[in-house]
Every structure is written in structure tokens, then in C-alpha cells.
Amino acid sequence: MNSHPWLQATIQVEYYPDIPILLWPIAEVENFTFIRLSEKTSDREIGLIITQLIDYNEIDVKDNINDCLQEIIIHKNFRGKDKLMIAGGLQVCSIDGKVIRYGCCSGLEKWRGWLDFLQTKRSFWTGHDPSPWVEKIGNIVRVWSDGGMTSIKDAFYIDFELQEFELALEQVSQDLKAFLLRLESWANQLGFPASKQLVSKFDFCFSISSPTSY
């Protein structure tokens, strides 16, 4: 059994050179880099995450920072709900270097499925191609790298003891709350007067402080 595994909340980002929505500095990364959300997320990484958020949700882009960020706050989806989505979720890491990432179409807004698993013991959507999935075997929580939709011969797994899994999820929750503070600091540094409303929107849409149902 792998020892000392952990979970990380991440967002998968692209790099956006020379496009109009670059109203703030962003991190220069390779396409489809995974950025961890925590108290250590840098200002440039946050700038890239917010750029990704705008692009992913097809938010109307304005020509100044205040109007652009305000568009995020007032954004509603096609059903008229206060909802934001972004490619992301929890990735599983082991001390021996193995990493299990969410598949395509997984969103950070679904991260609480991991918490629900503790109650339901039923696996949940983590994307497809690959299709990671989770099962409970006695006192072990086993996370598979693939096979959630069809049987995959070369899939591997990372095991948690149940208490380790619970502590790992608690750390994710703390990391996400710490990221909210970083997001507010980033917005304040840009001189955005509604930084708390921006944080509240992100918090609500990604179910960080409390679960949200749509």
C-alpha cells in the first residue's frame, strides 16, 4: 500500500498570450498546467486562473479591470443561475510520485463529491478518458487512475487508510478557504472595490465554505 498519500485542489489552465482579456499579469505556463489552490497560489497564478474562468464561462470581456471583474460577479448561466464552472477538481498524489488526475469535463464545482463519498460509499463523476474512480474496501479508500466507465487493464491505484482520507479532505477544505483569502488580496492589489463580492461569488459557485446544490 502506498504510504502518506494526499489530495490537492487544482485547476487546469491554458496559457493566454496576446489576447484582450490580459488586464493583469499572469503566470507563463505550458498549456494544460495544473495549478494548486492554496495559500501559496501566486498572484500571477491567480491572474491566470481568473483569465481561464472568464474564458471557460464565456464571460463578456470589458476593457478595464473593474468592469471585467464585475462581469464575473453578475454572471449567470443560460438558466439564469449564479453559476461558474472551470476545469478542475482534486488530484491524488503519493509519496512514490504517482499522480491521479481528474478526466476531461470534470469541474472544480464537483469537488464535494469526495466528501459525499464518505457518507454514501458510492463512486462519483471525476471525468472521462481517463475515468478515475473511488471505492472503499474495509478501512481502505482506493482511488483508481482509470476504469470508472470501462475496464482498463493498465489502471493503477493509490490507497488511503480511512482516517488518512478524511484528513486529506480536511486539508483540501482548508487550502480552498486559504485560496479565497489570496483571491481577495489579489483583487485588492488591482484596486478592485468589490473584492469581497468576487470572493463570495467564487466561494458560492465552487461550494467552498458550504455545499451548494444546483
Side-chain angles (χ1 to χ4, degrees), residues 139-155:
N139 197 45
I140 298 298
V141 175
R142 177 164 293 174
V143 184
W144 288 90
S145 64
D146 206 346
M149 298 181 70
T150 59
S151 178
I152 302 295
K153 181 178 179 180
D154 297 327

Side-chain angles (χ1 to χ4, degrees), residues 171-211:
Q171 183 60 58
V172 166
S173 180
Q174 293 177 17
D175 285 348
L176 286 170
K177 290 174 182 176
F179 175 77
L180 292 179
L181 296 176
R182 288 288 302 115
L183 177 59
E184 183 176 0
S185 174
W186 173 82
N188 283 334
Q189 289 179 55
L190 293 177
F192 182 52
S195 59
K196 290 188 181 299
Q197 291 93 317
L198 178 66
V199 169
S200 293
K201 177 81 171 200
F202 196 96
D203 185 8
F204 173 78
C205 292
F206 296 105
S207 307
I208 293 174
S209 295
S210 61

Side-chain angles (χ1 to χ4, degrees), residues 124-136:
F124 50 92
W125 174 252
T126 55
H128 56 78
D129 299 327
S131 301
W133 63 287
V134 187
E135 64 175 335
K136 186 175 181 294

Side-chain angles (χ1 to χ4, degrees), residues 6-10 36-41 89-91 108 111-116 118 164-182 199 202-203 206-211:
W6 67 94
L7 298 169
Q8 296 178 341
T10 64
R36 183 179 181 180
L37 306 184
S38 75
E39 63 183 359
K40 296 182 179 179
T41 311
L90 305 192
Q91 66 180 26
L108 181 67
W111 78 272
R112 281 186 174 268
W114 293 81
L115 291 170
D116 294 340
L118 289 173
E164 284 181 328
F165 186 72
E166 293 170 345
L167 290 173
L169 284 172
E170 176 59 30
Q171 183 60 58
V172 166
S173 180
Q174 293 177 17
D175 285 348
L176 286 170
K177 290 174 182 176
F179 175 77
L180 292 179
L181 296 176
R182 288 288 302 115
V199 169
F202 196 96
D203 185 8
F206 296 105
S207 307
I208 293 174
S209 295
S210 61

